[in-house]
Amino acid sequence: MAVNLDKEAYYRRIKRLYSNWKKGEDEFGRVDAIVVSVGVDEEIVYAKSTAIQTWLFGYELTDTIMVFCDTKIIFLASKKKVDFLKQVAVTKGNENANGVPPITLLTREKNESNKANFDKMIEAIRGSREGKTVGVFSKDKFPGEYMKSWNDTITAEGLEKVDISAVVAYTMAVKEDGELGLMKKAAAITSEVYSKFFKERVMEIVDADEKVRHSKLAESVEKAIEEKKYLGGADPSTVEMCYPPIIQSGGNYNLKFSVVSDKNHMHFGAITCAMGIRYKSYCSNLVRTLMVDPPQEMQDNYNFLLQVEEELLKQLKHGVKISDAYSTVLEYVKKEKADLVAKLTKNLGFAMGIEFREGSLVLNAKNQYKLKKGMVLSISLGFSDLVNKDGKKDEQKKYALFIGDTVQINEEEAATILTPVKKKIKNVGIFLKNDDEEDDEEEGDDAEELLGKGARSAALLADRTRNEMTAEEKRRAHQKELANHLNEEARRRLTEQKGEQQIQKARKSNVSYKNVSQMPREKDIRDMKIFIDKKYETVVMPVFGIATPFHIATIKNISMSVEGDYTYLRINFYVPGSSLGRQEGNIFPNPDATFVKEITYRASNLKAPGDTSVPSTNLQNAFRIIKEVQKRYKTREAEEKEKEGIVKQDSLVINLNRSNPKLKDLYIRPNIAQKRMQGSLEAHTNGFRFTSVRGDKVDILYNNIKHAIFQPCDGEMIIVLHFHLKNAIMFGKRRHTDVQFYTEVGEITTDLGKHQHMHDRDDLYAEQMEREMRHKLKSAFKNFIEKVETLTKEELEFEVPFRDLGFQGAPYRSTCLLQPTSSSLVNVTEWPPFVVTLDEVELVHFERVQFHLKNFDVVIVYKDYNKKVTMINAVPVNSLDPIKEWLNSCDIKYTEGVQSLNWTKIMKTIVDDPEGFFEQGGWSFLDPESEGSGAEEDSESEMEDETFNPSADEEEEEEEDSDEDYDSETEDSDYSASVGSEEESGKDWDELEEEARKADRESHYEDEDTSSKKRKVRSVAPPSKKKRRS
């Protein structure tokens, strides 16, 4: 037979079966032989008889009888199956070599009696132990004459039958590594189908307001497993449903796995979904509840259900009695929400493997079996018959909540979830926009019933148009609310902070010697030379014949020069009034004391008779050594400054388990050393550890991560895991609040020397390879993230930037794509990275927003007014509306203006006098509406004065044209005034226009007749009016 049988697995498992039988616990102690008979029945999906065959051989063998005796094993099967089983039949001379009894293979006869073979098996049963009782699976009843005649033979022999289903199930319940691998794969496929197909489909149905029956939706899920894209690379022929998916909503709920999806339409309330996928005969299970616009009480009950599941997972450990785990969870529910005890499901799950539900290992109050490491359970718990007080219709009044996962039992830790599908409220809640829209929809439904579909479509169209027209108004109204709230909140916050005075740090006073005994007694000091004490970092200088110590920290700089026969050494000191460097300020412990500003020493370059060395040597050595000591001191100070404010982190708890989530061949930014190095990132119990190929280690604790960002490689040349930290960490002698791990996914450099055809085979192959590599890396990173989120119980969640909402901008020197995430605005592909936490943002102001400019600037003001504002320059003007929409959806106030403001002065003014700032209207001074009204007033006053003053906002061309016209007309009017009499000074408007036309014709400016007409009207009018007044 072409099919291979895993001999090693067979021997391991048959040995385990015999070992448990020999121990004689429970029903095993009462049986003398074990009989497993499998007939043909297409309707039977799960049976203990077929499960033990799959467990031992990897295949189901129909019309096969297996008899396990104390000293021998007999298999009766057709010729083909006997040939297959020969692979494990013990060969001659090798009996009991594997610690299991030898196998006798009997070939089934073509006639139906098979009396001779039955007699041989009965004889073997009689010879096994006492030969009176046989262990059978009493629930397994296969039809057909062959099975009937065998059962009749056992009955005729008077053998007592004992049901051993429970003890065999307990033997098979502990999974080997290979079995666990298959179950993990099954669980992963279930998760994929749920996330990528079912959840997305429900979202589409809700979004489009479709009417879909539960049964139809269940059928579509069954069809989805035939498509490879949902199977994570598994062969569709190895994948099948454990049971038809169960989808329930609209008040009709039965929280069991034996029910079938009904034909009612899906109701947009609480939608429970249970589905399980079987991979290579091993089962998995997943249950989730999706909620559309859940009221607060429903959300609270759901959150409590998650806590109950968390409590259950803590109880499920090796050696714990099932009934004890159940009782603890029940007590927890009684203690926290006693009214929900009656609503809780009667059992909390069951063991699972080749069979979907192991009836003897159900999590309930009566089960006395103990859990063992390696068992896999399907836990499922829920609350049924809950009442929705806000419900108006019948299907809204009752609801149920149901969640479940596939979990693996561990030695000491809580059970591990194998189906890492997120189940927090934000992941399963579908929140529609507002109540008004729902009312509109209900009205539309009534209209449809009364007037038909035409009226409904017309009503919807009118509704959509009306909404589109008021979208901007809605945004403005929302911004107005935010503005009021912003000022109140900011005033309250600043009032609270008023009492906290900032302590200005005094500069550290460096004392060279605490007492005279520490002063060095060197010959140079006695000879009145400069001496540098490296131990105490002090320069001892002769001042008026006295050796005076100066600490290296007091020296600002030194210089040496040679002039003729002398060498000069000039030493400058820090004194009040001299700068100490950026951000340090002139802070001295005692600024009123007398300070030495500078000292200059002179020494001869000529060697006097009897001297051992040239006198200037001392100054040259002093110059060199002072420079060295100064450099060492400054380096140390810089390192200490870096360490200032570093919060001491907890120690990383190393998990020695080899199955830790791990990513290899990653680079770290910023680099640990000058040259970038590869390494691996591994997730442990309470944090990550990056280990470079050189052995450098960088630890990042989960509780220190403010934002964990996963930047996929879509449209990027690198794929990144970025961690923005709450408190800085030290590595590479510097402090860092942003650490990222990345790998390159394509060629960042391009060979311009290539002159090949665009359809060159090598190029096409390289593109294909890059696509595959991108997909592979993306899958590896996603897998790592899912494992980490499961490990941390979703306390650490990775955010993925929304590329569609991204916009170009220059937060630093270069332009990059800034992308929002659920809680931040980031760019992590360029270095340095840009991360702004939205919760810390007070408001956003847009500067230089003008029609004739192609871009504008974004200023981000933080709630901490002492923090410097963030500027993003050169944002394209077409991104303005999308940014406004995004900020509005995040409840962040934004304003805009045409000018660039001096934000350093503004923030200083606010911090110095917060009360005065808010009394004058607070942040309303940035509001465009107030600016607009001011502009209107200005223009009105200009019209009243009737003087022509071109505004700075007008385009240059207009300014130039109007100025030219004004000058020429003034000259004309002056000329006419000087030549003409006083009577002519009061010429009326038509006469002036006529004169102007004549002048134009004479000067050949007929082309500009119409344009100059308009301009001259404007420029000549004021003088004529003034003359009339006079």
Side-chain angles (χ1 to χ4, degrees):
M1 197 173 181
V3 182
N4 286 326
L5 193 154
D6 188 345
K7 293 185 217 176
E8 294 302 316
Y10 167 78
Y11 289 131
R12 277 197 313 273
R13 291 166 189 178
I14 199 77
K15 205 184 280 185
R16 196 201 297 180
L17 182 67
Y18 267 86
S19 169
N20 284 7
W21 183 15
K22 282 173 184 173
K23 283 179 191 172
E25 293 176 359
D26 302 319
E27 284 82 6
F28 269 143
R30 293 170 50 199
V31 299
D32 300 320
I34 297 169
V35 174
V36 180
S37 51
V38 178
V40 180
D41 190 349
E42 295 295 329
E43 291 180 11
I44 294 177
V45 180
Y46 301 110
K48 192 67 76 241
S49 308
T50 53
I52 198 168
Q53 283 185 348
T54 307
W55 186 59
L56 291 172
F57 311 122
Y59 297 93
E60 285 183 20
L61 305 173
T62 53
D63 285 339
T64 302
I65 299 169
M66 302 186 292
V67 178
F68 301 97
C69 302
D70 197 24
T71 55
K72 65 167 77 173
I73 298 171
I74 300 173
F75 294 155
L76 172 61
S78 64
K79 189 175 184 306
K80 277 189 177 180
K81 294 187 184 77
V82 166
D83 290 341
F84 169 68
L85 292 167
K86 276 179 184 174
Q87 295 176 70
V88 289
V90 181
T91 53
K92 197 176 178 183
N94 194 24
E95 293 185 6
N96 289 316
N98 291 289
V100 294
I103 295 171
T104 303
L105 297 173
L106 302 175
T107 306
R108 181 185 161 198
E109 294 168 13
K110 287 184 180 178
N111 60 19
E112 291 298 322
S113 66
N114 281 287
K115 191 172 185 309
N117 288 330
F118 288 171
D119 289 344
K120 286 177 187 175
M121 289 192 288
I122 294 294
E123 188 184 331
I125 292 168
R126 290 289 186 197
S128 176
R129 298 191 180 182
E130 294 179 16
K132 291 179 182 177
T133 56
V134 290
V136 295
F137 303 128
S138 55
K139 283 188 180 178
D140 295 359
K141 291 175 181 172
F142 290 90
E145 283 299 316
Y146 178 48
M147 286 293 115
K148 187 176 181 296
S149 58
W150 167 241
N151 289 328
D152 290 346
T153 305
I154 293 174
T155 309
E157 289 292 326
L159 295 169
E160 185 189 343
K161 292 180 183 178
V162 176
D163 187 13
I164 56 167
S165 300
V167 284
V168 170
Y170 196 56
T171 303
M172 293 165 62
V174 177
K175 305 293 183 286
E176 297 172 354
D177 288 345
E179 293 178 286
L180 286 173
L182 293 172
M183 295 196 80
K184 284 176 182 175
K185 180 70 175 172
I189 294 169
T190 307
S191 305
E192 285 279 295
V193 172
Y194 170 82
S195 303
K196 290 186 178 176
F197 179 80
F198 177 77
K199 189 179 174 185
E200 290 296 319
R201 181 74 186 105
V202 171
M203 299 276 270
E204 284 172 17
I205 292 166
V206 174
D207 199 36
D209 196 12
E210 289 181 51
K211 286 191 174 182
V212 178
R213 297 182 191 278
H214 295 140
S215 53
K216 285 287 180 189
L217 188 54
E219 282 173 25
S220 67
V221 174
E222 288 193 71
K223 284 177 184 172
I225 66 165
E226 295 169 11
E227 296 182 42
K228 264 195 172 181
K229 63 180 176 182
Y230 300 121
L231 304 183
D235 181 1
S237 63
T238 59
V239 177
E240 60 182 323
M241 298 300 296
C242 296
Y243 57 91
I246 303 164
I247 297 152
Q248 303 176 88
S249 68
N252 297 321
Y253 300 95
N254 186 349
L255 307 186
K256 292 179 180 177
F257 297 102
S258 53
V259 297
V260 179
S261 299
D262 59 32
K263 291 185 178 181
N264 294 335
H265 288 111
M266 189 169 81
H267 172 256
F268 300 160
I271 305 159
T272 66
C273 168
M275 64 170 72
I277 285 175
R278 203 176 185 201
Y279 175 66
K280 291 187 178 176
S281 301
Y282 283 87
C283 299
S284 65
N285 198 26
L286 175 72
V287 186
R288 289 290 181 268
T289 301
L290 294 172
M291 293 168 281
V292 182
D293 274 340
Q296 192 56 49
E297 189 183 7
M298 190 188 287
Q299 292 183 41
D300 295 342
N301 287 337
Y302 183 80
N303 285 327
F304 178 63
L305 185 60
L306 293 181
Q307 290 168 21
V308 176
E309 188 191 30
E310 201 63 42
E311 189 63 29
L312 175 61
L313 290 170
K314 287 178 192 171
Q315 301 303 319
L316 300 179
K317 294 177 188 173
H318 177 80
V320 174
K321 204 181 279 186
I322 289 174
S323 56
D324 292 348
Y326 179 86
S327 303
T328 309
V329 172
L330 204 64
E331 285 302 314
Y332 176 78
V333 178
K334 279 181 186 173
K335 182 184 166 189
E336 298 295 327
K337 286 195 176 186
D339 56 318
L340 292 177
V341 174
K343 313 283 187 186
L344 188 67
T345 44
K346 300 304 174 200
N347 67 65
L348 304 179
F350 41 80
M352 187 167 59
I354 295 168
E355 285 189 276
F356 173 68
R357 184 180 186 274
E358 188 40 72
S360 58
L361 291 172
V362 175
L363 303 183
N364 58 25
K366 297 175 184 175
N367 204 319
Q368 296 301 304
Y369 280 110
K370 286 184 178 178
L371 296 168
K372 288 188 177 180
K373 183 188 174 185
M375 282 185 174
V376 175
L377 309 179
S378 165
I379 60 166
S380 51
L381 53 163
F383 298 127
S384 54
D385 293 329
L386 295 169
V387 178
N388 178 12
K389 292 170 187 174
D390 300 339
K392 294 169 186 174
K393 297 179 181 177
D394 290 342
E395 59 262 32
Q396 293 174 336
K397 287 176 183 174
K398 276 194 178 182
Y399 69 94
L401 301 170
F402 200 21
I403 57 170
D405 286 288
T406 304
V407 302
Q408 178 187 334
I409 305 298
N410 299 316
E411 186 81 46
E412 293 174 0
E413 300 168 7
T416 306
I417 294 176
L418 303 181
T419 42
V421 176
K422 293 178 183 178
K423 50 182 177 280
K424 287 185 178 177
I425 279 283
K426 62 179 180 182
N427 306 119
V428 297
I430 303 168
F431 296 90
L432 302 177
K433 286 195 176 175
N434 53 37
D435 298 329
D436 300 339
E437 288 178 16
E438 286 177 16
D439 296 341
D440 291 343
E441 283 173 17
E442 282 174 22
E443 286 168 20
D445 289 340
D446 297 338
E448 185 182 333
E449 287 168 21
L450 294 168
L451 307 168
K453 288 188 178 179
R456 174 163 170 76
S457 60
L460 280 172
L461 186 63
D463 181 48
R464 190 179 299 167
T465 314
R466 187 165 65 252
N467 283 342
E468 281 174 9
M469 285 165 65
T470 58
E472 179 63 28
E473 289 169 23
K474 279 184 183 177
R475 200 161 71 189
R476 281 183 185 169
H478 186 219
Q479 283 296 309
K480 205 169 184 180
E481 286 171 25
L482 288 174
N484 297 333
H485 178 70
L486 170 72
N487 282 332
E488 287 168 18
E489 183 65 24
R491 178 179 276 191
R492 185 189 59 74
R493 194 172 61 246
L494 286 173
T495 309
E496 286 173 8
Q497 290 174 356
K498 196 178 177 185
E500 300 170 13
Q501 291 291 326
Q502 276 201 332
I503 300 161
Q504 200 174 31
K505 195 182 170 191
R507 187 165 179 247
K508 190 169 72 176
S509 176
N510 292 296
V511 178
S512 296
Y513 305 112
K514 290 181 181 174
N515 52 55
V516 182
S517 61
Q518 291 178 330
M519 276 281 283
R521 305 274 186 266
E522 299 293 326
K523 185 175 180 297
D524 282 357
I525 295 174
R526 290 197 299 274
D527 293 346
M528 290 296 126
K529 291 182 180 178
I530 296 173
F531 174 75
I532 293 92
D533 185 351
K534 290 185 180 179
K535 183 183 176 185
Y536 288 101
E537 294 178 328
T538 297
V539 183
V540 182
M541 307 177 201
V543 180
F544 300 118
I546 299 165
T548 311
F550 289 88
H551 194 275
I552 199 77
T554 61
I555 297 174
K556 186 178 180 183
N557 53 47
I558 57 171
S559 62
M560 190 175 70
S561 59
V562 178
E563 294 178 15
D565 295 339
Y566 294 97
T567 296
Y568 294 87
L569 180 68
R570 182 180 174 182
I571 302 171
N572 293 319
F573 298 93
Y574 285 115
V575 293
S578 68
S579 65
L580 290 173
R582 191 185 296 172
Q583 294 174 348
E584 283 189 32
N586 300 328
I587 305 160
F588 287 85
N590 187 7
D592 297 328
T594 304
F595 287 82
V596 178
K597 188 173 183 182
E598 67 172 81
I599 297 177
T600 305
Y601 290 94
R602 187 183 78 166
S604 174
N605 292 334
L606 303 173
K607 187 177 175 183
D611 285 352
T612 53
S613 61
V614 178
S616 63
T617 309
N618 175 248
L619 296 188
Q620 290 165 1
N621 288 340
F623 177 77
R624 181 176 51 79
I625 297 167
I626 289 171
K627 283 279 187 190
E628 283 176 17
V629 175
Q630 208 173 23
K631 186 180 177 184
R632 194 173 62 205
Y633 173 78
K634 282 180 178 174
T635 306
R636 195 179 72 248
E637 283 288 294
E639 283 180 15
E640 283 178 11
K641 195 176 176 187
E642 285 289 323
K643 287 178 185 174
E644 267 179 31
I646 291 283
V647 177
K648 192 172 185 290
Q649 303 290 316
D650 300 333
S651 299
L652 183 73
V653 179
I654 301 293
N655 188 353
L656 299 172
N657 192 346
R658 285 188 179 180
S659 63
N660 285 343
K662 192 172 185 178
L663 278 176
K664 294 179 180 177
D665 302 328
L666 298 178
Y667 294 107
I668 184 172
R669 277 204 295 206
N671 297 333
I672 299 172
Q674 286 184 343
K675 192 179 178 184
R676 70 173 189 168
M677 280 182 293
Q678 281 191 326
S680 60
L681 182 68
E682 191 169 0
H684 291 281
T685 307
N686 66 334
F688 296 101
R689 169 164 282 181
F690 176 79
T691 311
S692 74
V693 287
R694 199 176 69 175
D696 305 284
K697 289 182 173 62
V698 177
D699 294 344
I700 299 170
L701 301 186
Y702 300 140
N703 60 10
N704 191 32
I705 295 172
K706 196 175 195 177
H707 298 290
I709 296 152
F710 168 50
Q711 174 69 62
C713 49
D714 303 326
E716 303 288 351
M717 297 307 286
I718 57 174
I719 185 166
V720 181
L721 286 181
H722 185 94
F723 299 110
H724 183 65
L725 307 179
K726 295 173 187 170
N727 301 305
I729 59 170
M730 286 284 293
F731 66 86
K733 294 185 180 178
R734 302 206 61 163
R735 55 193 290 170
H736 306 284
T737 48
D738 285 284
V739 185
Q740 66 174 226
F741 306 95
Y742 72 97
T743 188
E744 292 166 1
V745 292
E747 289 183 16
I748 290 179
T749 56
T750 306
D751 184 3
L752 297 174
K754 278 186 179 179
H755 295 290
Q756 294 175 338
H757 193 262
M758 64 177 285
H759 296 299
D760 185 72
R761 187 177 294 175
D762 290 345
D763 282 359
L764 292 172
Y765 178 71
E767 281 178 24
Q768 179 63 24
M769 289 299 289
E770 188 179 316
R771 271 197 297 273
E772 286 175 13
M773 186 185 176
R774 281 174 182 269
H775 180 69
K776 195 175 174 184
L777 280 170
K778 210 165 159 186
S779 301
F781 272 69
K782 276 188 175 175
N783 192 25
F784 174 80
I785 287 165
E786 283 173 3
K787 284 180 180 175
V788 169
E789 286 180 342
T790 307
L791 180 71
T792 59
K793 292 173 184 166
E794 294 185 20
E795 283 176 20
L796 177 68
E797 283 194 47
F798 283 82
E799 303 172 47
V800 180
F802 303 117
R803 197 174 180 85
D804 295 343
L805 296 176
F807 58 92
Q808 295 290 333
Y812 303 114
R813 289 180 185 175
S814 60
T815 302
C816 57
L817 181 66
L818 300 165
Q819 302 173 75
T821 71
S822 53
S823 64
S824 58
L825 177 66
V826 302
N827 171 266
V828 295
T829 51
E830 304 284 331
W831 197 263
F834 177 83
V835 181
V836 170
T837 307
L838 298 181
D839 286 345
E840 294 175 2
V841 175
E842 180 84 304
L843 71 103
V844 175
H845 181 66
F846 306 123
E847 292 185 340
R848 301 189 307 108
V849 179
Q850 298 181 49
F851 287 114
H852 64 280
L853 294 179
K854 289 182 181 177
N855 49 42
F856 63 96
D857 303 332
V858 176
V859 179
I860 297 169
V861 181
Y862 296 97
K863 288 177 181 173
D864 179 3
Y865 290 171
N866 293 306
K867 193 175 176 181
K868 192 180 175 186
V869 300
T870 298
M871 294 276 293
I872 303 169
N873 299 317
V875 180
V877 78
N878 57 4
S879 300
L880 183 60
D881 272 348
I883 294 172
K884 283 181 179 178
E885 192 61 46
W886 165 62
L887 290 172
N888 196 53
S889 67
C890 297
D891 291 339
I892 294 174
K893 170 70 181 159
Y894 63 78
T895 54
E896 63 179 80
V898 294
Q899 294 174 320
S900 294
L901 303 173
N902 187 337
W903 284 98
T904 312
K905 281 187 178 178
I906 290 170
M907 298 314 291
K908 190 177 184 305
T909 308
I910 297 169
V911 171
D912 290 348
D913 183 19
E915 288 179 3
F917 172 69
F918 288 109
E919 277 170 16
Q920 290 171 12
W923 291 107
S924 59
F925 80 94
L926 292 171
D927 218 314
E929 288 175 13
S930 60
E931 282 185 12
S933 60
E936 284 167 18
E937 284 166 19
D938 291 346
S939 62
E940 282 169 20
S941 63
E942 281 172 20
M943 289 296 285
E944 283 167 17
D945 292 343
E946 294 176 334
T947 56
F948 181 71
N949 292 318
S951 69
D953 294 338
E954 286 187 46
E955 292 185 21
E956 290 177 7
E957 282 182 41
E958 286 186 10
E959 289 181 25
E960 288 169 12
D961 292 345
S962 55
D963 288 346
E964 284 169 14
D965 293 331
Y966 177 75
D967 294 340
S968 62
E969 286 304 318
T970 311
E971 286 168 15
D972 289 346
S973 59
D974 288 345
Y975 175 76
S976 62
S978 61
V979 174
S981 64
E982 286 181 10
E983 293 172 8
E984 286 179 313
S985 64
K987 284 180 184 178
D988 95 2
W989 191 257
D990 295 332
E991 289 176 280
L992 284 168
E993 271 220 293
E994 190 57 37
E995 281 182 15
R997 269 199 213 95
K998 282 178 185 175
D1000 284 345
R1001 274 199 293 273
E1002 286 168 9
S1003 307
H1004 304 287
Y1005 286 145
E1006 289 172 6
D1007 298 355
E1008 294 180 5
D1009 193 29
T1010 52
S1011 61
S1012 61
K1013 206 188 296 178
K1014 291 174 187 172
R1015 289 173 186 159
K1016 285 166 187 171
V1017 166
R1018 218 181 294 147
S1019 56
V1020 176
S1024 66
K1025 277 196 176 184
K1026 281 180 184 174
K1027 285 173 185 176
R1028 280 177 193 169
R1029 279 179 198 151
S1030 61

